[in-house]
Amino acid sequence: MNDLSRRGGERPLRVTVLGATGSIGLSTLDVVARHPQRYEVFALTGHSRVLDLHGLCLRHRPRYAVVGDARAAADLQGRLREDGLATQVLVGEEGLIEVAGHSDVDVVMAAIVGAAGLRPTLAAVNASKRVLLANKEALVMSGALFMQALRDSSATLLPIDSEHNAIFQCLPGDYSRGLSVVGVRRILLTASGGPFREMPLSELAGVSPAQACAHPNWSMGRKISVDSASMMNKGLELIEACWLFDARPEQVEVVIHPQSVIHSMVDYVDGSVLAQLGNPDMRTPIAHALAWPERVDSGVSPLDLLQIGRLDFQAPDDRRFPCLRLARAAAQAGGTAPAILNAANEIAVEAFLAERIRFTQIADMIEHVLESLPSASVGCLDDVFDADDRARRQARHWLERI
Ligand code: NDP
Ligand code: MG
């Protein structure tokens, strides 16, 4: 592991934020800006929100900015020149890979949503950076290859997903020796249950994208908000936990905890259960991963347990949350199944947000795609992208027929 602990008199660490215009990206920049002696922004990337990216460049003065297409890049480059900034604008996946693996970068926040983040995140791993992983889809798609790339490099991977960051904090430093070796019985992955936890089942088919995106505790991007409502987010997190902590799917139990105060727990063989608690604000895991093994202020207000008063727990209901069952089955099947699940889910969420399918059809579509495309073994990244591509085509085909 590369040691990025801060000692007096050192230069600030240079940070690339992949997905800077998104929810995690903005929270990262908020934490970074609180510690100018420790961190400076090296590169910022966006995709469709180019005006937002322009504003972020003015504020953080990065060496590079990356956007999705050449026209947007030329436009942004022109504006930045007029502003007197030397920021160089790069384009597309090539640009993302360049700023993720650049020799002058120390830390990469991987916060692009979906499969689009996989190659840039892997570039950061291959270049042995400290990689802060928010882009869970990358790990879900290519877990075995991703973890192998990590072992082959001297990169440090720190989980940003609040649950995995909590588990990381509750595990001993030598957990990579094996969960059973260090006395872990189970990982308890907490879930809020999302906005539809208590809605009558008969009403689920009629919910709107706006209702699905109105998460009771967290403010997030639209895709992950829908995933939280369907609990596919928890399913993806189950797969993520298996890869990050070398756990079997049956060692990861999902517990609904509506207050989102306990971010996850580790249950040890001696009966001890360690939990990490905090207000639901992503700046906590971001600050933890940026500064690890030190601690820095994140701007998050202290937890007021007296005001919270009580912490509740319940089991997830399979009928309400079929996506969780599908994800667990994909985790057990292994091979290309998680990549197929993820791709079908991306298309399903897009279709739901565009009001082309009902909320309850998200699971129907994913189940259909998983049944049509049996899992195959993964030998290289092309196998993953091939499965991703086939699953997207199968999902679009299903869409055309309904
Ligand atoms: P947002 O939708 O808010 O942001 C996504 C970011 O990815 C934006 O910067 C967006 O650019 C960029 N992006 C989208 N598509 C592409 C593409 N094809 N190529 C390059 N960049 C692209 O998402 P979140 O910040 O909520 O989530 C980011 C990741 O973090 C997801 O994987 C999510 O699962 C994970 N995560 C998020 C949490 C949260 O609290 N938000 C919690 C835990 C994990 P633009 O907006 O300019 O189009
Ligand atoms: Mg999470």
Side-chain angles (χ1 to χ4, degrees), residues 17-27 45-50 52-53 66-68 92-93 96 109-117 120 133-138 160-163 218-225 227 233 236-237 240 281-282:
V17 184
L18 303 174
T21 46
S23 165
I24 293 285
L26 294 175
S27 292
T45 87
H47 192 62
S48 59
R49 287 177 272 195
V50 181
D52 292 10
L53 186 61
V66 185
V67 291
E93 191 169 69
L96 296 172
M109 165 56 81
I112 291 174
V113 61
L133 184 72
N135 178 210
K136 65 190 86 185
E137 296 91 346
I160 292 299
D161 218 339
S162 57
E163 296 76 4
W218 296 94
S219 150
M220 308 181 286
R222 280 163 72 79
K223 193 258 177 184
I224 185 176
S225 296
D227 285 349
N233 183 49
L236 299 177
E237 289 182 358
E240 186 184 9
D281 187 321
M282 288 307 294

Side-chain angles (χ1 to χ4, degrees), residues 93-291:
E93 191 169 69
E94 222 173 280
L96 296 172
I97 288 172
E98 182 168 344
V99 297
H102 196 288
S103 55
D104 288 348
V105 174
D106 303 297
V107 181
V108 176
M109 165 56 81
I112 291 174
V113 61
L118 176 55
R119 283 201 179 92
T121 306
L122 271 177
V125 170
N126 290 332
S128 294
K129 305 303 180 191
R130 169 179 290 223
V131 181
L132 279 42
L133 184 72
N135 178 210
K136 65 190 86 185
E137 296 91 346
L139 195 57
V140 166
M141 288 173 74
S142 70
L145 298 174
F146 194 104
M147 297 310 283
Q148 189 55 48
L150 191 63
R151 284 189 292 272
D152 291 343
S153 71
S154 49
T156 303
L157 187 71
L158 290 157
I160 292 299
D161 218 339
S162 57
E163 296 76 4
H164 306 76
N165 185 270
I167 295 161
F168 179 81
Q169 294 197 47
C170 295
L171 283 171
D174 61 346
Y175 71 84
S176 60
R177 292 197 297 137
L179 290 185
S180 55
V181 178
V182 298
V184 172
R185 181 157 45 200
R186 290 177 305 171
I187 287 171
L188 297 169
L189 197 62
T190 53
S192 69
F196 307 139
R197 183 174 56 89
E198 290 187 312
M199 181 177 275
L201 289 180
S202 58
E203 290 176 25
L204 280 179
V207 301
S208 68
Q211 282 174 292
C213 289
H215 196 279
N217 307 333
W218 296 94
S219 150
M220 308 181 286
R222 280 163 72 79
K223 193 258 177 184
I224 185 176
S225 296
V226 176
D227 285 349
S228 298
S230 69
M231 271 187 86
M232 178 54 91
N233 183 49
K234 215 44 58 179
L236 299 177
E237 289 182 358
L238 187 156
I239 300 170
E240 186 184 9
C242 289
W243 287 117
L244 285 175
F245 307 116
D246 198 15
R248 295 186 309 278
E250 55 280 13
Q251 285 177 295
V252 185
E253 192 171 317
V254 174
V255 180
I256 292 189
H257 163 49
Q259 291 89 357
S260 298
V261 166
I262 296 180
H263 298 307
S264 277
M265 296 173 263
V266 177
D267 177 11
Y268 287 89
V269 288
D270 62 3
S272 302
V273 177
L274 300 195
Q276 186 259 0
L277 287 74
N279 284 319
D281 187 321
M282 288 307 294
R283 289 176 302 171
T284 294
I286 290 167
H288 170 266
L290 275 170

